[in-house]
Amino acid sequence: MKKLYLVIPCYNEEEVLLETKKRLKIKMTDLIKNKVVSPHSKIVFVNDGSLDNTWNLILDFHKKDRLFTGINLSRNRGHQNALLAGLMTVKDDADMVITLDCDLQDDIDVIDKFIEEYNNGNDIVYGVRKSRQKDTFFKRNSAIMLYKLMHILGIEVIYNHADYRLMSKRAILCLEKFKEVNLFLRGIVPLIGYKYSVVYYDRQERFAGKSKYSLKKMLSFALDGITSFTIKPIRLIVLLGFMIFLISIIMLVYTLIRHFSGQTIIGWLSVMTSVWAIGGLQLFSIGIIGEYIGKIYLETKARPRYIIDEYLEEKKKSK
Ligand code: UDP
Ligand code: MG
């Protein structure tokens, strides 16, 4: 029987953790009892540098029940890095890993379907939200806009799939080869290319606590998602620059003609406008180029993407 590991990133989740633990325990016990997964399966909480009692709760779960284990990151590194830390830490022990959020907004009853798809030979199973009615207006629309924009820019992501997914050991070993620091798992996983399938579910409301994704975190996530996967914005700027250059040649010819025909009345307004327009465009362009140079800067430093302070059950492991 195959070993299933559930990897759950947690950031300041003391309000939901007890309930989450209870529900996951019921689910996992069921799966084990029905011989769907091995009795050596585990539930792994990754504490992403929480400032509240989250890690103590995890320690307590582990002490009382060996179904639970935990990974403590040395500080907050964000959702994506916490997921990666979890996946990389358990990859040798697990046959398949399902990642899900701590607030159980993703319906855990479809885990059975995930495993079914895995048994049908799929290395990756994406959980896709059927509807987002339970999300806030802002969250729903900003997410839809992000997917649309990514689609236009040619980035391959599964529509309405967040990070609720199953990956086989083989797929995780491939993921390990992607060394990028600007991590956007939703974009990277499809690049692995193994056989995949999709499972649909209804997105629930967070049953306690607030979203841990601040507006700032969301914006930086979206920006990472785009700039880590495509250089189309740079191409657009090059195109824009070229067009403006063509226009300026036409303008030059036009003004020369006016000059030689003695009609030169060069307006202050037009000069000022063009100075501002060009200045603005240049700044904008430099800004976007800077964004990519920033990325290169971070990649060349090749800093570790997370540092594990403690992995329960095993001696200290760091990466
Ligand atoms: N999370 C994390 N580190 C962070 C922010 C969030 O590990 O810096 C975790 C959080 O604990 C949760 C998951 O990522 O398990 C998704 O966060 P949340 O539910 O707040 O996001 P939303 O559902 O609002 O998109
Ligand atoms: Mg949530």
Side-chain angles (χ1 to χ4, degrees):
M1 245 179 299
K2 300 286 185 180
K3 267 191 273 181
L4 166 69
Y5 274 54
L6 299 182
V7 164
I8 304 138
C10 316
Y11 177 56
N12 294 343
E13 298 283 14
E14 61 181 6
E15 283 161 292
V16 296
L17 215 52
L18 277 170
E19 179 66 24
T20 299
K21 171 213 166 211
K22 204 171 82 197
R23 294 196 201 174
L24 288 178
K25 163 117 192 177
I26 297 171
K27 185 81 217 165
M28 202 60 149
T29 326
D30 254 15
L31 291 172
I32 293 173
K33 206 171 69 206
N34 297 333
K35 301 206 165 19
V36 180
V37 298
S38 145
H40 299 294
S41 298
K42 287 211 183 294
I43 300 175
V44 189
F45 291 104
V46 183
N47 176 34
D48 184 19
S50 300
L51 303 169
D52 64 2
N53 214 17
T54 301
W55 180 238
N56 288 332
L57 286 172
I58 298 171
L59 282 174
D60 187 53
F61 298 163
H62 175 68
K63 210 160 53 188
K64 294 192 182 132
D65 187 343
R66 289 297 142 131
L67 176 64
F68 296 100
T69 176
I71 298 168
N72 193 25
L73 299 192
S74 62
R75 54 157 296 156
N76 181 247
R77 295 295 290 123
H79 182 205
Q80 301 290 298
N81 287 309
L83 283 171
L84 187 76
L87 289 170
M88 291 308 141
T89 310
V90 306
K91 66 176 192 296
D92 297 323
D93 303 323
D95 294 309
M96 56 182 140
V97 179
I98 296 179
T99 49
L100 63 159
D101 289 355
C102 191
D103 51 16
L104 299 191
Q105 282 188 286
D106 305 318
D107 182 10
I108 57 169
D109 286 323
V110 297
I111 288 183
D112 303 66
K113 283 199 215 149
F114 275 47
I115 299 169
E116 219 172 276
E117 293 297 333
Y118 169 84
N119 289 332
N120 289 342
N122 291 295
D123 277 284
I124 302 164
V125 186
Y126 298 102
V128 171
R129 296 162 184 176
K130 259 190 277 184
S131 70
R132 283 175 167 271
Q133 255 120 37
K134 301 258 171 73
D135 274 339
T136 60
F137 177 81
F138 176 72
K139 184 109 199 170
R140 192 165 61 231
N141 286 290
S142 58
I144 290 173
M145 259 161 58
L146 178 62
Y147 285 115
K148 289 232 167 93
L149 184 62
M150 293 188 109
H151 183 72
I152 293 170
L153 292 173
I155 304 169
E156 199 187 319
V157 284
I158 307 270
Y159 186 68
N160 259 345
H161 157 70
D163 287 296
Y164 188 26
R165 78 174 81 79
L166 177 146
M167 290 178 81
S168 68
K169 184 192 222 104
R170 189 164 86 117
I172 301 173
L173 290 175
C174 289
L175 179 66
E176 196 181 15
K177 295 192 192 138
F178 289 79
K179 296 289 182 201
E180 51 204 273
V181 172
N182 301 289
L183 198 64
F184 187 74
L185 288 172
R186 272 165 234 192
I188 297 175
V189 174
L191 294 180
I192 295 175
Y194 286 146
K195 201 170 156 215
Y196 72 90
S197 83
V198 170
V199 165
Y200 294 91
Y201 66 94
D202 281 316
R203 171 120 160 133
Q204 311 296 319
E205 249 167 286
R206 196 177 236 279
F207 62 84
K210 278 209 264 324
S211 172
K212 304 297 180 279
Y213 260 93
S214 57
L215 185 63
K216 196 170 142 221
K217 275 190 178 168
M218 249 159 74
L219 285 177
S220 104
F221 180 68
L223 204 61
D224 264 356
I226 292 169
T227 53
S228 304
F229 282 91
T230 175
I231 55 164
K232 268 203 186 152
I234 294 185
R235 300 255 165 82
L236 287 177
I237 286 169
V238 174
L239 198 69
L240 193 68
F242 184 67
M243 273 159 51
I244 289 176
F245 176 66
L246 283 184
I247 293 171
S248 70
I249 291 178
I250 297 169
M251 286 304 283
L252 184 70
V253 173
Y254 175 71
T255 40
L256 281 176
I257 293 170
R258 301 280 288 196
H259 177 76
F260 287 115
S261 59
Q263 289 174 303
T264 25
I265 316 150
I266 300 165
W268 180 80
L269 187 71
S270 57
V271 173
M272 284 311 275
T273 319
S274 51
V275 166
W276 279 94
I278 303 280
L281 275 173
Q282 276 179 339
L283 275 183
F284 176 67
S285 314
I286 292 170
I288 295 208
I289 292 168
E291 183 63 35
Y292 283 95
I293 294 178
K295 286 251 138 67
I296 297 170
Y297 169 67
L298 288 174
E299 296 294 349
T300 50
K301 273 201 286 211
R303 284 183 179 165
R305 291 169 289 181
Y306 54 84
I307 292 168
I308 292 171
D309 179 42
E310 194 176 356
Y311 176 34
L312 303 178
E313 275 185 336
E314 273 180 39
K315 292 229 174 79
K316 281 192 179 172
K317 214 176 187 181
S318 68
K319 191 158 182 185

PDB file of all heavy atoms in Angstrom, residues 257-288:
ATOM      1  N   ILE A 257       9.879  69.727 -42.755  1.00  0.00           N
ATOM      2  CA  ILE A 257       9.080  70.289 -43.854  1.00  0.00           C
ATOM      3  C   ILE A 257       8.482  71.632 -43.431  1.00  0.00           C
ATOM      4  O   ILE A 257       8.578  72.640 -44.141  1.00  0.00           O
ATOM      5  CB  ILE A 257       7.961  69.303 -44.275  1.00  0.00           C
ATOM      6  CG1 ILE A 257       8.586  68.055 -44.913  1.00  0.00           C
ATOM      7  CG2 ILE A 257       7.002  69.970 -45.266  1.00  0.00           C
ATOM      8  CD1 ILE A 257       7.612  66.920 -45.143  1.00  0.00           C
ATOM      9  N   ARG A 258       7.910  71.616 -42.200  1.00  0.00           N
ATOM     10  CA  ARG A 258       7.332  72.859 -41.679  1.00  0.00           C
ATOM     11  C   ARG A 258       8.401  73.953 -41.599  1.00  0.00           C
ATOM     12  O   ARG A 258       8.158  75.107 -41.954  1.00  0.00           O
ATOM     13  CB  ARG A 258       6.755  72.657 -40.264  1.00  0.00           C
ATOM     14  CG  ARG A 258       5.675  71.608 -40.186  1.00  0.00           C
ATOM     15  CD  ARG A 258       4.355  72.111 -40.628  1.00  0.00           C
ATOM     16  NE  ARG A 258       3.783  73.024 -39.646  1.00  0.00           N
ATOM     17  CZ  ARG A 258       2.498  73.380 -39.639  1.00  0.00           C
ATOM     18  NH1 ARG A 258       1.683  72.905 -40.571  1.00  0.00           N
ATOM     19  NH2 ARG A 258       2.039  74.206 -38.726  1.00  0.00           N
ATOM     20  N   HIS A 259       9.586  73.559 -41.158  1.00  0.00           N
ATOM     21  CA  HIS A 259      10.672  74.516 -40.984  1.00  0.00           C
ATOM     22  C   HIS A 259      11.033  75.173 -42.314  1.00  0.00           C
ATOM     23  O   HIS A 259      11.107  76.395 -42.431  1.00  0.00           O
ATOM     24  CB  HIS A 259      11.888  73.797 -40.391  1.00  0.00           C
ATOM     25  CG  HIS A 259      13.083  74.680 -40.229  1.00  0.00           C
ATOM     26  ND1 HIS A 259      13.176  75.618 -39.212  1.00  0.00           N
ATOM     27  CD2 HIS A 259      14.226  74.793 -40.943  1.00  0.00           C
ATOM     28  CE1 HIS A 259      14.326  76.249 -39.317  1.00  0.00           C
ATOM     29  NE2 HIS A 259      14.993  75.763 -40.366  1.00  0.00           N
ATOM     30  N   PHE A 260      11.242  74.320 -43.322  1.00  0.00           N
ATOM     31  CA  PHE A 260      11.683  74.869 -44.603  1.00  0.00           C
ATOM     32  C   PHE A 260      10.581  75.603 -45.341  1.00  0.00           C
ATOM     33  O   PHE A 260      10.823  76.405 -46.215  1.00  0.00           O
ATOM     34  CB  PHE A 260      12.309  73.764 -45.465  1.00  0.00           C
ATOM     35  CG  PHE A 260      13.659  73.370 -44.935  1.00  0.00           C
ATOM     36  CD1 PHE A 260      13.904  72.100 -44.419  1.00  0.00           C
ATOM     37  CD2 PHE A 260      14.711  74.313 -44.909  1.00  0.00           C
ATOM     38  CE1 PHE A 260      15.136  71.756 -43.912  1.00  0.00           C
ATOM     39  CE2 PHE A 260      15.945  73.969 -44.401  1.00  0.00           C
ATOM     40  CZ  PHE A 260      16.176  72.700 -43.906  1.00  0.00           C
ATOM     41  N   SER A 261       9.355  75.319 -44.966  1.00  0.00           N
ATOM     42  CA  SER A 261       8.285  76.082 -45.594  1.00  0.00           C
ATOM     43  C   SER A 261       7.924  77.300 -44.743  1.00  0.00           C
ATOM     44  O   SER A 261       6.911  77.950 -44.948  1.00  0.00           O
ATOM     45  CB  SER A 261       7.061  75.184 -45.846  1.00  0.00           C
ATOM     46  OG  SER A 261       6.625  74.657 -44.618  1.00  0.00           O
ATOM     47  N   GLY A 262       8.759  77.574 -43.767  1.00  0.00           N
ATOM     48  CA  GLY A 262       8.612  78.785 -42.960  1.00  0.00           C
ATOM     49  C   GLY A 262       7.407  78.794 -42.035  1.00  0.00           C
ATOM     50  O   GLY A 262       6.845  79.839 -41.740  1.00  0.00           O
ATOM     51  N   GLN A 263       7.005  77.634 -41.595  1.00  0.00           N
ATOM     52  CA  GLN A 263       5.812  77.603 -40.733  1.00  0.00           C
ATOM     53  C   GLN A 263       6.130  77.113 -39.322  1.00  0.00           C
ATOM     54  O   GLN A 263       5.332  76.434 -38.702  1.00  0.00           O
ATOM     55  CB  GLN A 263       4.767  76.653 -41.337  1.00  0.00           C
ATOM     56  CG  GLN A 263       4.121  77.187 -42.591  1.00  0.00           C
ATOM     57  CD  GLN A 263       3.215  76.137 -43.201  1.00  0.00           C
ATOM     58  OE1 GLN A 263       3.660  75.033 -43.513  1.00  0.00           O
ATOM     59  NE2 GLN A 263       1.946  76.470 -43.361  1.00  0.00           N
ATOM     60  N   THR A 264       7.321  77.406 -38.864  1.00  0.00           N
ATOM     61  CA  THR A 264       7.696  76.840 -37.561  1.00  0.00           C
ATOM     62  C   THR A 264       7.103  77.604 -36.394  1.00  0.00           C
ATOM     63  O   THR A 264       7.552  78.686 -36.048  1.00  0.00           O
ATOM     64  CB  THR A 264       9.230  76.804 -37.393  1.00  0.00           C
ATOM     65  OG1 THR A 264       9.768  77.813 -38.238  1.00  0.00           O
ATOM     66  CG2 THR A 264       9.797  75.456 -37.670  1.00  0.00           C
ATOM     67  N   ILE A 265       6.107  77.081 -35.863  1.00  0.00           N
ATOM     68  CA  ILE A 265       5.590  77.600 -34.592  1.00  0.00           C
ATOM     69  C   ILE A 265       5.606  76.421 -33.631  1.00  0.00           C
ATOM     70  O   ILE A 265       4.674  75.637 -33.571  1.00  0.00           O
ATOM     71  CB  ILE A 265       4.145  78.140 -34.702  1.00  0.00           C
ATOM     72  CG1 ILE A 265       4.017  78.981 -35.970  1.00  0.00           C
ATOM     73  CG2 ILE A 265       3.744  78.946 -33.456  1.00  0.00           C
ATOM     74  CD1 ILE A 265       2.650  78.960 -36.578  1.00  0.00           C
ATOM     75  N   ILE A 266       6.721  76.267 -32.984  1.00  0.00           N
ATOM     76  CA  ILE A 266       6.806  75.100 -32.104  1.00  0.00           C
ATOM     77  C   ILE A 266       6.206  75.449 -30.761  1.00  0.00           C
ATOM     78  O   ILE A 266       6.686  76.322 -30.051  1.00  0.00           O
ATOM     79  CB  ILE A 266       8.269  74.634 -31.953  1.00  0.00           C
ATOM     80  CG1 ILE A 266       8.813  74.266 -33.339  1.00  0.00           C
ATOM     81  CG2 ILE A 266       8.357  73.429 -31.017  1.00  0.00           C
ATOM     82  CD1 ILE A 266      10.301  74.145 -33.393  1.00  0.00           C
ATOM     83  N   GLY A 267       5.147  74.746 -30.452  1.00  0.00           N
ATOM     84  CA  GLY A 267       4.396  75.075 -29.250  1.00  0.00           C
ATOM     85  C   GLY A 267       5.043  74.542 -27.980  1.00  0.00           C
ATOM     86  O   GLY A 267       5.625  73.455 -27.971  1.00  0.00           O
ATOM     87  N   TRP A 268       4.936  75.335 -26.948  1.00  0.00           N
ATOM     88  CA  TRP A 268       5.470  74.932 -25.647  1.00  0.00           C
ATOM     89  C   TRP A 268       4.745  73.672 -25.148  1.00  0.00           C
ATOM     90  O   TRP A 268       5.342  72.739 -24.652  1.00  0.00           O
ATOM     91  CB  TRP A 268       5.248  76.093 -24.682  1.00  0.00           C
ATOM     92  CG  TRP A 268       5.726  75.852 -23.302  1.00  0.00           C
ATOM     93  CD1 TRP A 268       7.015  75.945 -22.865  1.00  0.00           C
ATOM     94  CD2 TRP A 268       4.941  75.494 -22.179  1.00  0.00           C
ATOM     95  NE1 TRP A 268       7.090  75.672 -21.556  1.00  0.00           N
ATOM     96  CE2 TRP A 268       5.817  75.381 -21.085  1.00  0.00           C
ATOM     97  CE3 TRP A 268       3.573  75.270 -21.968  1.00  0.00           C
ATOM     98  CZ2 TRP A 268       5.387  75.046 -19.810  1.00  0.00           C
ATOM     99  CZ3 TRP A 268       3.151  74.930 -20.710  1.00  0.00           C
ATOM    100  CH2 TRP A 268       4.053  74.817 -19.636  1.00  0.00           C
ATOM    101  N   LEU A 269       3.452  73.668 -25.379  1.00  0.00           N
ATOM    102  CA  LEU A 269       2.621  72.562 -24.907  1.00  0.00           C
ATOM    103  C   LEU A 269       3.080  71.225 -25.490  1.00  0.00           C
ATOM    104  O   LEU A 269       3.297  70.256 -24.762  1.00  0.00           O
ATOM    105  CB  LEU A 269       1.162  72.823 -25.289  1.00  0.00           C
ATOM    106  CG  LEU A 269       0.182  71.811 -24.708  1.00  0.00           C
ATOM    107  CD1 LEU A 269       0.052  71.995 -23.206  1.00  0.00           C
ATOM    108  CD2 LEU A 269      -1.166  71.932 -25.390  1.00  0.00           C
ATOM    109  N   SER A 270       3.260  71.205 -26.812  1.00  0.00           N
ATOM    110  CA  SER A 270       3.623  69.936 -27.442  1.00  0.00           C
ATOM    111  C   SER A 270       4.989  69.461 -26.956  1.00  0.00           C
ATOM    112  O   SER A 270       5.208  68.270 -26.757  1.00  0.00           O
ATOM    113  CB  SER A 270       3.586  70.044 -28.953  1.00  0.00           C
ATOM    114  OG  SER A 270       4.451  71.075 -29.350  1.00  0.00           O
ATOM    115  N   VAL A 271       5.902  70.411 -26.761  1.00  0.00           N
ATOM    116  CA  VAL A 271       7.239  70.033 -26.282  1.00  0.00           C
ATOM    117  C   VAL A 271       7.127  69.414 -24.892  1.00  0.00           C
ATOM    118  O   VAL A 271       7.618  68.317 -24.627  1.00  0.00           O
ATOM    119  CB  VAL A 271       8.180  71.254 -26.230  1.00  0.00           C
ATOM    120  CG1 VAL A 271       9.503  70.873 -25.568  1.00  0.00           C
ATOM    121  CG2 VAL A 271       8.434  71.778 -27.622  1.00  0.00           C
ATOM    122  N   MET A 272       6.400  70.153 -24.038  1.00  0.00           N
ATOM    123  CA  MET A 272       6.264  69.662 -22.670  1.00  0.00           C
ATOM    124  C   MET A 272       5.589  68.286 -22.660  1.00  0.00           C
ATOM    125  O   MET A 272       6.028  67.372 -21.977  1.00  0.00           O
ATOM    126  CB  MET A 272       5.427  70.638 -21.831  1.00  0.00           C
ATOM    127  CG  MET A 272       6.171  71.881 -21.426  1.00  0.00           C
ATOM    128  SD  MET A 272       7.774  71.517 -20.730  1.00  0.00           S
ATOM    129  CE  MET A 272       7.342  71.223 -19.038  1.00  0.00           C
ATOM    130  N   THR A 273       4.535  68.163 -23.448  1.00  0.00           N
ATOM    131  CA  THR A 273       3.802  66.894 -23.448  1.00  0.00           C
ATOM    132  C   THR A 273       4.709  65.749 -23.864  1.00  0.00           C
ATOM    133  O   THR A 273       4.746  64.699 -23.233  1.00  0.00           O
ATOM    134  CB  THR A 273       2.602  66.964 -24.405  1.00  0.00           C
ATOM    135  OG1 THR A 273       2.002  68.238 -24.246  1.00  0.00           O
ATOM    136  CG2 THR A 273       1.594  65.893 -24.097  1.00  0.00           C
ATOM    137  N   SER A 274       5.457  65.982 -24.929  1.00  0.00           N
ATOM    138  CA  SER A 274       6.281  64.870 -25.400  1.00  0.00           C
ATOM    139  C   SER A 274       7.394  64.552 -24.409  1.00  0.00           C
ATOM    140  O   SER A 274       7.728  63.395 -24.194  1.00  0.00           O
ATOM    141  CB  SER A 274       6.832  65.142 -26.794  1.00  0.00           C
ATOM    142  OG  SER A 274       7.444  66.403 -26.819  1.00  0.00           O
ATOM    143  N   VAL A 275       7.935  65.591 -23.780  1.00  0.00           N
ATOM    144  CA  VAL A 275       8.982  65.334 -22.783  1.00  0.00           C
ATOM    145  C   VAL A 275       8.425  64.443 -21.675  1.00  0.00           C
ATOM    146  O   VAL A 275       9.020  63.444 -21.287  1.00  0.00           O
ATOM    147  CB  VAL A 275       9.502  66.659 -22.177  1.00  0.00           C
ATOM    148  CG1 VAL A 275      10.330  66.386 -20.925  1.00  0.00           C
ATOM    149  CG2 VAL A 275      10.338  67.408 -23.195  1.00  0.00           C
ATOM    150  N   TRP A 276       7.227  64.800 -21.247  1.00  0.00           N
ATOM    151  CA  TRP A 276       6.618  64.006 -20.169  1.00  0.00           C
ATOM    152  C   TRP A 276       6.284  62.591 -20.631  1.00  0.00           C
ATOM    153  O   TRP A 276       6.527  61.626 -19.931  1.00  0.00           O
ATOM    154  CB  TRP A 276       5.349  64.693 -19.657  1.00  0.00           C
ATOM    155  CG  TRP A 276       5.677  65.787 -18.702  1.00  0.00           C
ATOM    156  CD1 TRP A 276       5.836  67.107 -18.985  1.00  0.00           C
ATOM    157  CD2 TRP A 276       5.924  65.648 -17.297  1.00  0.00           C
ATOM    158  NE1 TRP A 276       6.160  67.814 -17.861  1.00  0.00           N
ATOM    159  CE2 TRP A 276       6.221  66.937 -16.806  1.00  0.00           C
ATOM    160  CE3 TRP A 276       5.931  64.579 -16.415  1.00  0.00           C
ATOM    161  CZ2 TRP A 276       6.518  67.179 -15.474  1.00  0.00           C
ATOM    162  CZ3 TRP A 276       6.217  64.816 -15.080  1.00  0.00           C
ATOM    163  CH2 TRP A 276       6.512  66.117 -14.624  1.00  0.00           C
ATOM    164  N   ALA A 277       5.734  62.515 -21.830  1.00  0.00           N
ATOM    165  CA  ALA A 277       5.320  61.201 -22.323  1.00  0.00           C
ATOM    166  C   ALA A 277       6.528  60.275 -22.439  1.00  0.00           C
ATOM    167  O   ALA A 277       6.519  59.147 -21.950  1.00  0.00           O
ATOM    168  CB  ALA A 277       4.637  61.344 -23.674  1.00  0.00           C
ATOM    169  N   ILE A 278       7.559  60.790 -23.095  1.00  0.00           N
ATOM    170  CA  ILE A 278       8.752  59.953 -23.292  1.00  0.00           C
ATOM    171  C   ILE A 278       9.392  59.636 -21.943  1.00  0.00           C
ATOM    172  O   ILE A 278       9.783  58.501 -21.671  1.00  0.00           O
ATOM    173  CB  ILE A 278       9.787  60.666 -24.197  1.00  0.00           C
ATOM    174  CG1 ILE A 278       9.160  61.026 -25.547  1.00  0.00           C
ATOM    175  CG2 ILE A 278      11.035  59.826 -24.372  1.00  0.00           C
ATOM    176  CD1 ILE A 278       9.080  59.919 -26.533  1.00  0.00           C
ATOM    177  N   GLY A 279       9.480  60.666 -21.107  1.00  0.00           N
ATOM    178  CA  GLY A 279      10.072  60.443 -19.784  1.00  0.00           C
ATOM    179  C   GLY A 279       9.336  59.357 -19.020  1.00  0.00           C
ATOM    180  O   GLY A 279       9.935  58.447 -18.454  1.00  0.00           O
ATOM    181  N   GLY A 280       8.024  59.443 -19.059  1.00  0.00           N
ATOM    182  CA  GLY A 280       7.206  58.468 -18.350  1.00  0.00           C
ATOM    183  C   GLY A 280       7.407  57.068 -18.884  1.00  0.00           C
ATOM    184  O   GLY A 280       7.625  56.117 -18.134  1.00  0.00           O
ATOM    185  N   LEU A 281       7.366  56.988 -20.202  1.00  0.00           N
ATOM    186  CA  LEU A 281       7.533  55.674 -20.825  1.00  0.00           C
ATOM    187  C   LEU A 281       8.883  55.074 -20.485  1.00  0.00           C
ATOM    188  O   LEU A 281       9.019  53.896 -20.199  1.00  0.00           O
ATOM    189  CB  LEU A 281       7.426  55.806 -22.344  1.00  0.00           C
ATOM    190  CG  LEU A 281       6.013  55.761 -22.893  1.00  0.00           C
ATOM    191  CD1 LEU A 281       6.015  56.071 -24.382  1.00  0.00           C
ATOM    192  CD2 LEU A 281       5.425  54.374 -22.654  1.00  0.00           C
ATOM    193  N   GLN A 282       9.893  55.941 -20.506  1.00  0.00           N
ATOM    194  CA  GLN A 282      11.236  55.439 -20.213  1.00  0.00           C
ATOM    195  C   GLN A 282      11.344  54.925 -18.788  1.00  0.00           C
ATOM    196  O   GLN A 282      11.873  53.845 -18.549  1.00  0.00           O
ATOM    197  CB  GLN A 282      12.265  56.547 -20.433  1.00  0.00           C
ATOM    198  CG  GLN A 282      12.670  56.641 -21.883  1.00  0.00           C
ATOM    199  CD  GLN A 282      13.661  57.751 -22.119  1.00  0.00           C
ATOM    200  OE1 GLN A 282      13.761  58.678 -21.318  1.00  0.00           O
ATOM    201  NE2 GLN A 282      14.384  57.666 -23.201  1.00  0.00           N
ATOM    202  N   LEU A 283      10.797  55.705 -17.894  1.00  0.00           N
ATOM    203  CA  LEU A 283      10.835  55.280 -16.498  1.00  0.00           C
ATOM    204  C   LEU A 283      10.120  53.951 -16.308  1.00  0.00           C
ATOM    205  O   LEU A 283      10.595  53.046 -15.654  1.00  0.00           O
ATOM    206  CB  LEU A 283      10.176  56.330 -15.606  1.00  0.00           C
ATOM    207  CG  LEU A 283      11.076  57.467 -15.178  1.00  0.00           C
ATOM    208  CD1 LEU A 283      10.318  58.382 -14.245  1.00  0.00           C
ATOM    209  CD2 LEU A 283      12.315  56.929 -14.472  1.00  0.00           C
ATOM    210  N   PHE A 284       8.954  53.852 -16.928  1.00  0.00           N
ATOM    211  CA  PHE A 284       8.161  52.643 -16.843  1.00  0.00           C
ATOM    212  C   PHE A 284       8.963  51.449 -17.366  1.00  0.00           C
ATOM    213  O   PHE A 284       9.060  50.397 -16.733  1.00  0.00           O
ATOM    214  CB  PHE A 284       6.892  52.848 -17.659  1.00  0.00           C
ATOM    215  CG  PHE A 284       6.012  51.642 -17.737  1.00  0.00           C
ATOM    216  CD1 PHE A 284       5.378  51.170 -16.601  1.00  0.00           C
ATOM    217  CD2 PHE A 284       5.836  50.968 -18.937  1.00  0.00           C
ATOM    218  CE1 PHE A 284       4.573  50.046 -16.657  1.00  0.00           C
ATOM    219  CE2 PHE A 284       5.036  49.850 -18.999  1.00  0.00           C
ATOM    220  CZ  PHE A 284       4.401  49.388 -17.867  1.00  0.00           C
ATOM    221  N   SER A 285       9.587  51.672 -18.515  1.00  0.00           N
ATOM    222  CA  SER A 285      10.367  50.593 -19.135  1.00  0.00           C
ATOM    223  C   SER A 285      11.530  50.189 -18.253  1.00  0.00           C
ATOM    224  O   SER A 285      11.774  49.016 -18.021  1.00  0.00           O
ATOM    225  CB  SER A 285      10.910  51.036 -20.486  1.00  0.00           C
ATOM    226  OG  SER A 285       9.901  51.665 -21.210  1.00  0.00           O
ATOM    227  N   ILE A 286      12.220  51.199 -17.760  1.00  0.00           N
ATOM    228  CA  ILE A 286      13.378  50.890 -16.913  1.00  0.00           C
ATOM    229  C   ILE A 286      12.918  50.129 -15.671  1.00  0.00           C
ATOM    230  O   ILE A 286      13.564  49.180 -15.230  1.00  0.00           O
ATOM    231  CB  ILE A 286      14.125  52.185 -16.518  1.00  0.00           C
ATOM    232  CG1 ILE A 286      14.771  52.797 -17.754  1.00  0.00           C
ATOM    233  CG2 ILE A 286      15.190  51.907 -15.453  1.00  0.00           C
ATOM    234  CD1 ILE A 286      15.332  54.179 -17.537  1.00  0.00           C
ATOM    235  N   GLY A 287      11.754  50.533 -15.169  1.00  0.00           N
ATOM    236  CA  GLY A 287      11.212  49.859 -13.990  1.00  0.00           C
ATOM    237  C   GLY A 287      10.989  48.376 -14.238  1.00  0.00           C
ATOM    238  O   GLY A 287      11.368  47.534 -13.439  1.00  0.00           O
ATOM    239  N   ILE A 288      10.386  48.090 -15.373  1.00  0.00           N
ATOM    240  CA  ILE A 288      10.096  46.676 -15.661  1.00  0.00           C
ATOM    241  C   ILE A 288      11.399  45.912 -15.889  1.00  0.00           C
ATOM    242  O   ILE A 288      11.575  44.797 -15.390  1.00  0.00           O
ATOM    243  CB  ILE A 288       9.165  46.550 -16.874  1.00  0.00           C
ATOM    244  CG1 ILE A 288       7.829  47.171 -16.498  1.00  0.00           C
ATOM    245  CG2 ILE A 288       9.011  45.079 -17.258  1.00  0.00           C
ATOM    246  CD1 ILE A 288       6.645  46.624 -17.193  1.00  0.00           C
TER     247      ILE A 288
END
